[in-house]
């Protein structure tokens, strides 16, 4: 009797769990569809001619009169310099990721190597910067400088870096540095003490401990942070090109928006 009751109870629990998993899967599927719907809408309208895109026809499927095929893509590549704009943004993104990798390696090594109040404060600052958006911090500092009748310190960056790639790269690095630094630092600090003692017993130096134990253990968290940074770096580069640039994807989007060429977006 006890075994039969237990089997019945387990079957009821598994059936309830299966229903919950099915409902959760359906909910997440609908959420994913709603998330990618604007992208699908843009792709749909890119196949239409320019005069067929309006507020009343934006949700309509292309027909024989409005279908443009790949003509909009060909025009964007041949006449709107899309490839050069994409290459400009790609250079900013790749350079920013490499600088983030270099800076995070030095920051993570310092925090895990030097166990002082300064290093702990640096780590807490990185964690705090992940919670507070970078744009909010910059806006607050600018408003504070204006209220104190001080020249905003960000003008110095423009004076020294100009209006080329350098300020965009700096913006992307400041946006994406902190999550990568936190992941890399956590990966090195969570290495088991037994592994460190093992290589030390064979006469390994401090540098060899980092090379043989801590750096390999920190690579998975580092690449997880770099995947996030690569995504944010593209949006950061585009936003930087919106503010001031003469090339890049952000500049391309501004051109087609100001010219009302919605089919080229």
């Amino acid at each position: 009797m006890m075994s039969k009751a237990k089997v019945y109870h387990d079957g009821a629990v598994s059936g309830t769990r299966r229903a919950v998993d099915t409902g959760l899967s359906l909910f997440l599927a609908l959420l994913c569809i709603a998330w990618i719907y604007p992208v699908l809408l843009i792709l749909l309208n890119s196949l239409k001619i320019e005069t067929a895109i309006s507020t009343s026809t934006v949700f309509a499927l292309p027909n024989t009169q409005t279908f443009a095929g790949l003509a909009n893509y060909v025009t964007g590549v041949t006449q709107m310099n899309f490839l050069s704009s994409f290459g400009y943004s790609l250079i900013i993104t790749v350079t920013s990721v490499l600088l983030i990798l270099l800076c995070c390696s030095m920051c993570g090594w310092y925090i895990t190597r030097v166990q002082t109040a300064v290093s702990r404060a640096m780590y807490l600052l990185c964690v705090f910067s992940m919670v507070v958006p970078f744009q909010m911090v910059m806006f607050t500092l600018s408003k504070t400088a204006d209220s104190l009748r001080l020249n905003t310190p960000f003008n110095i960056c423009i004076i020294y870096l100009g209006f080329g790639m350098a300020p965009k790269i700096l913006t992307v690095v400041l946006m994406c540095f902190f999550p990568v630094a936190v992941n890399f630092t956590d990966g090195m600090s969570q290495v088991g003490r037994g592994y460190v003692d093992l290589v030390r017993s064979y006469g390994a130096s401090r540098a060899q401990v980092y090379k043989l134990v801590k750096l390999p253990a920190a690579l998975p968290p580092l690449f997880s942070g770099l995947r996030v940074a690569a995504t944010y770096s593209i949006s950061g580069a585009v936003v930087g090109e919106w503010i001031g640039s003469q090339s890049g994807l952000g500049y391309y989007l501004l051109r087609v928006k100001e010219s009302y060429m919605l089919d080229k977006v």
Side-chain angles (χ1 to χ4, degrees):
M1 295 295 293
M2 291 294 294
S3 61
K4 291 182 178 180
K6 183 177 181 181
V7 170
Y8 176 77
H9 177 71
D10 293 341
V13 172
S14 61
T16 305
R17 180 63 180 273
R18 191 180 300 111
V20 172
D21 292 341
T22 303
L24 185 61
S25 299
L26 291 176
F27 172 75
L28 292 177
L30 294 176
L31 188 63
C32 292
I33 294 174
W35 182 264
I36 65 174
Y37 177 72
V39 179
L40 296 178
L41 190 63
I42 293 175
L43 293 176
L44 179 66
N45 285 276
S46 66
L47 301 176
K48 300 179 183 178
I49 59 177
E50 183 178 358
T51 56
I53 302 176
S54 63
T55 55
S56 59
T57 61
V58 68
F59 299 102
L61 295 173
N63 51 35
T64 55
Q65 287 79 21
T66 61
F67 183 69
L70 299 178
N72 294 327
Y73 295 93
V74 174
T75 303
V77 172
T78 58
Q79 300 181 12
M80 303 296 295
N81 297 324
F82 174 80
L83 292 180
S84 62
S85 300
F86 177 76
Y88 186 86
S89 299
L90 183 62
I91 292 174
I92 294 176
T93 302
V94 173
T95 306
S96 302
V97 171
L98 293 177
L99 285 177
I100 290 170
L101 180 60
L102 177 62
C103 296
C104 290
S105 300
M106 295 187 294
C107 180
W109 175 85
Y110 177 80
I111 293 176
T112 56
R113 175 67 179 83
V114 182
Q115 298 292 335
T116 61
V118 177
S119 63
R120 289 192 292 270
M122 289 179 59
Y123 179 78
L124 293 177
L125 178 62
C126 293
V127 174
F128 175 76
S129 301
M130 293 176 58
V131 178
V132 180
F134 172 76
Q135 295 85 350
M136 183 180 298
V137 176
M138 301 291 285
F139 179 78
T140 304
L141 291 177
S142 299
K143 285 296 184 181
T144 303
D146 292 338
S147 62
L148 297 177
R149 297 182 180 180
L150 299 175
N151 291 327
T152 172
F154 310 113
N155 291 335
I156 301 177
C157 299
I158 299 298
I159 293 174
Y160 282 99
L161 300 178
F163 292 93
M165 288 187 180
K168 285 80 175 177
I169 294 175
L170 178 62
T171 303
V172 173
V173 170
L174 292 177
M175 288 179 61
C176 305
F177 168 78
F178 301 105
V180 182
V182 171
N183 285 354
F184 186 62
T185 303
D186 289 340
M188 286 198 298
S189 61
Q190 293 176 0
V191 175
R193 185 65 186 177
Y195 296 103
V196 178
D197 294 337
L198 178 62
V199 295
R200 282 286 182 86
S201 64
Y202 284 97
S205 62
R206 293 177 184 268
Q208 290 174 333
V209 170
Y210 275 92
K211 178 182 178 181
L212 299 175
V213 178
K214 291 192 175 184
L215 286 179
L219 287 180
L222 174 63
F223 285 112
S224 298
L226 285 177
R227 283 196 294 267
V228 178
T231 305
Y232 284 142
S233 60
I234 298 175
S235 59
V238 172
V239 171
E241 292 160 358
W242 280 347
I243 297 174
S245 179
Q246 295 182 351
S247 184
L249 292 177
Y251 180 71
Y252 175 84
L253 292 175
L254 286 177
R255 287 180 59 192
V256 297
K257 182 180 75 69
E258 296 297 333
S259 302
Y260 295 98
M261 295 185 293
L262 301 180
D263 55 328
K264 307 300 186 299
V265 176

